[in-house]
Amino acid sequence: MNNKLQTITNLFEEKEIRSFWDSEKEEYFFSVIDVIGALTDNDYDKSRNYWKWLKNKLKEEGSELVSNTNQLKLQSLKDGKFYKTDTLDTKGIFRLVESVPSAKAEPFKIWLANLGNERINEVFDPELAINRAVNYYRNKGYSDEWIKKRLNGIVDRFKLTDIWKDGGIKKPVEYALLTNEIYKGWSGMKASEYKAYKGIRKESLRDNMTDIEIALTNIGEIAARDIAKKEHPQGLNENMKVAARGGRVAKGARDVYEEETKTSAISKENALDYQYKDDNKLIENK
């Protein structure tokens, strides 16, 4: 088992795990009963009864796993109708796997343990994390020149978020709102809409941008950063206005580019070697 998994479904090669993609939360939710069935080789009814027993056991142990479940309508594999089904996000599914005493669950537990060990080692030696990122991009087919630009872009992004932090921005949702304001300023779309346009989900939007899209994003963020450095906006509302202005700077650059090249600066291109089919089927090879 490796760590190049796109979704939970890839962990269970021959078992169908029903799922739902929440585009607002940018998170997958997977059928608990399907995962239990894949781990235990039980049929649907036995898996459902096992989940009832396990829920009571987890409650008695004080586990929060049960309270983290969401009931979503998923299509039945038996009759094709939609029924309310207990689901968990990716983190919850991994906790579920750790709670199931099954021989089939053991490889996943080993994989998780190795993953945790890698992260602890990276705390002591951060270069390991950088090497992992570089190797990941190389394995995905990105050039070394692109990787250099991507790493520099990450550092530049920190410069912007540091300015926002000085302006009283603290919550992750606030950083997301500000970023969306820059995206909307030059592209007309917030990040989740842009991802949907490109046909991606949890994947990084910037990893799937063309050169001009990355350049326009950088212009918007640099402009927002430099305006904020001079004007020192405080709080979300003031910073939102500055972010919008940064987006407008990038929009001006986009207009000039499109006028001169007669080409749209926004592309549906992505770097995926698979494509999404719908909300209930996860991926198929291109």
Side-chain angles (χ1 to χ4, degrees), residues 59-208:
K59 284 180 181 177
E60 291 174 1
E61 294 173 352
S63 171
E64 295 180 356
L65 185 62
V66 176
S67 60
N68 288 337
T69 58
N70 292 273
Q71 279 214 328
L72 299 174
K73 281 193 173 183
L74 298 181
Q75 190 172 22
S76 169
L77 300 177
K78 288 185 175 181
D79 58 19
K81 295 180 180 180
F82 286 80
Y83 299 98
K84 285 186 176 180
T85 306
D86 281 346
T87 64
L88 285 167
D89 61 13
T90 303
K91 180 180 177 181
I93 288 296
F94 282 137
R95 292 184 63 191
L96 174 68
V97 168
E98 292 175 326
S99 302
V100 176
S102 162
K104 284 200 169 186
E106 203 58 31
F108 306 136
K109 295 177 183 179
I110 294 172
W111 177 70
L112 288 170
N114 289 335
L115 202 61
N117 184 60
E118 287 178 6
R119 298 302 175 270
I120 290 174
N121 288 337
E122 288 168 1
V123 171
F124 294 100
D125 185 358
E127 185 179 341
L128 293 173
I130 298 171
N131 291 340
R132 178 168 55 85
V134 170
N135 285 328
Y136 177 80
Y137 281 128
R138 277 184 162 184
N139 291 334
K140 296 284 281 186
Y142 291 100
S143 68
D144 287 347
E145 190 60 33
W146 184 95
I147 295 170
K148 288 179 184 178
K149 291 179 180 178
R150 184 70 176 95
L151 294 178
N152 286 333
I154 292 171
V155 174
D156 287 340
R157 171 73 181 178
F158 276 118
K159 293 178 183 178
L160 173 61
T161 55
D162 285 344
I163 293 292
W164 283 343
K165 192 180 298 182
D166 291 340
I169 303 303
K170 298 178 180 178
K171 300 177 182 178
V173 67
E174 293 177 325
Y175 289 102
L177 288 170
L178 291 170
T179 302
N180 276 336
E181 202 65 23
I182 295 174
Y183 279 135
K184 287 190 295 183
W186 72 264
S187 74
M189 296 179 283
K190 61 183 181 180
S192 60
E193 294 168 336
Y194 209 155
K195 283 186 169 186
Y197 181 76
K198 281 184 168 289
I200 60 177
R201 292 184 174 177
K202 284 185 76 70
E203 297 85 1
S204 165
L205 177 56
R206 298 184 199 222
D207 284 356
N208 290 278

Side-chain angles (χ1 to χ4, degrees), residues 3 6 147 193 238 260 264:
N3 60 359
Q6 301 295 344
I147 295 170
E193 294 168 336
E238 290 185 12
E260 294 295 331
S264 174

Side-chain angles (χ1 to χ4, degrees), residues 197-255:
Y197 181 76
K198 281 184 168 289
I200 60 177
R201 292 184 174 177
K202 284 185 76 70
E203 297 85 1
S204 165
L205 177 56
R206 298 184 199 222
D207 284 356
N208 290 278
M209 282 184 167
T210 61
D211 288 347
I212 186 61
E213 288 173 310
I214 290 174
L216 292 171
T217 300
N218 290 341
I219 290 172
E221 292 193 341
I222 290 170
R225 182 192 71 199
D226 290 347
I227 295 170
K229 283 171 70 175
K230 288 189 176 182
E231 299 185 4
H232 306 289
Q234 293 297 310
L236 181 60
N237 289 337
E238 290 185 12
N239 275 286
M240 287 282 281
K241 293 175 183 177
V242 170
R245 289 163 64 189
R248 286 197 294 272
V249 172
K251 178 61 165 63
R254 174 189 172 183
D255 291 343

Side-chain angles (χ1 to χ4, degrees), residues 36-53:
I36 288 176
L39 291 173
T40 61
D41 274 336
N42 288 335
D43 60 25
Y44 179 83
D45 291 332
K46 288 183 179 179
S47 297
R48 186 175 57 181
N49 290 333
Y50 185 93
W51 175 230
K52 286 181 180 179
W53 171 81

